[in-house]
Amino acid sequence: MPRSPVLFPLLLLLLPPQALGLGLRGAGGRRPQCGPCRPEFCPALERCPAPGIAARDECGCCVRCLGAEGASCGGRAGARCGPGLVCASRATGAAPEGTGLCVCAQRGTVCGSDGRSYSSVCALRLRARHAPRAHPGHLHKARDGPCEFAPVVITPPQSVHNVTGAPVYLSCEVRAVPTPVVTWRKVTQSPEGTQVLEDLPGDHINIAVQVRGGPSEHEATAWILINPLKKEDEGVYQCHSANAVGEAQSHGTVTVVDLSQYKAPRFPAPDDHM
């Protein structure tokens, strides 16, 4: 008697769930190349070296160490990247053939809820995974882009001295987010003895001010050039920086030696002895 085509699916429904995975590739929603999970045959895993991440393999069975951002991936060992990372190919000759680099699928700096800037959201997640947990979600992305902070003077202006007629310059480097506005001021005294800040260059034809971004990201460098130097240019100069978060300043002193007060010695001419 011929077998009914409906009989075989009915028999499968009667089998226990454990039996469905025995010898049937792709059972339980696994990939076609995955067989039944036998945890007893999984390699022992003591602890992933930091900053590795422990997670189950492609078949959802054995626990393996997944690469963090910047780790090698691919190759003969088939090293995998952690959550949110992709294996990007490297330049020819930069690494063994077939290997790549784990990079974050979402590029760009982010600001964490701890007030720190992270190179990517993946770096923030890795920090949250290894940091002590005060409560669930204790460390999360606050917003895209770096965290805002008030200006910080990285390199203050150095005090200088020179003679009248010579050039001098002062410089300072500032770091801040958002980018700060950097200005130069001369600190003077009013007739009443109070401090007065004179914005530069003002009407001084011998003073030039320049500001540009760098040398590093979120930094600005400002210069002030005095040429030619005059005796009245002597004094204290302030490098002032400000953004929406706050402000900072630093000072440098310019000392001027007036050459007009020093007359060159006069040697008698030969005819003077005649």
Side-chain angles (χ1 to χ4, degrees), residues 157-161 168 170 184-189 198 200 224 226 229-238 251-257:
Q158 301 294 315
S159 297
V160 295
H161 67 276
V168 296
L170 300 172
W184 284 96
R185 301 168 176 173
K186 186 177 182 181
V187 182
T188 60
Q189 296 287 334
E198 178 188 2
L200 299 174
I224 181 170
I226 308 176
L229 191 62
K230 297 182 291 185
K231 183 60 180 177
E232 54 264 34
D233 295 322
E234 188 172 75
V236 178
Y237 291 79
Q238 180 192 86
H251 303 80
T253 303
V254 175
T255 304
V256 182
V257 177

Side-chain angles (χ1 to χ4, degrees), residues 1 49 57 64 69 78 112 114 118 129 133 145 149 152 154 165 234 239 241 252 256 261 273:
M1 184 175 64
D57 58 15
R64 295 175 57 184
E69 191 171 9
D114 58 349
Y118 294 84
R129 181 184 293 267
R133 299 189 176 187
F149 59 93
V152 178
I154 305 302
E234 188 172 75
C239 174
S241 57
V256 182
Q261 298 182 359
H273 298 284

Side-chain angles (χ1 to χ4, degrees), residues 105-120:
Q106 301 179 34
R107 302 294 182 89
T109 305
V110 297
C111 176
S113 57
D114 58 349
R116 296 178 54 184
S117 297
Y118 294 84
S119 58
S120 67

Side-chain angles (χ1 to χ4, degrees), residues 12 16-17 36 81-82 100 108 122 125 128 131 133 144-145 164 166 169 182 184 194 199 213 230 248-249 261 265:
L12 288 178
C81 300
C122 300
R125 290 170 182 164
R133 299 189 176 187
D144 292 321
T164 53
Y169 77 92
V182 186
W184 284 96
T194 59
D199 292 326
K230 297 182 291 185
Q249 55 271 329
Q261 298 182 359

Side-chain angles (χ1 to χ4, degrees), residues 205-237:
I205 61 174
N206 66 326
I207 295 180
V209 172
Q210 183 181 7
V211 181
R212 73 174 186 184
S216 301
E217 191 177 10
H218 310 306
E219 290 185 1
T221 303
W223 295 268
I224 181 170
L225 172 67
I226 308 176
N227 185 28
L229 191 62
K230 297 182 291 185
K231 183 60 180 177
E232 54 264 34
D233 295 322
E234 188 172 75
V236 178
Y237 291 79

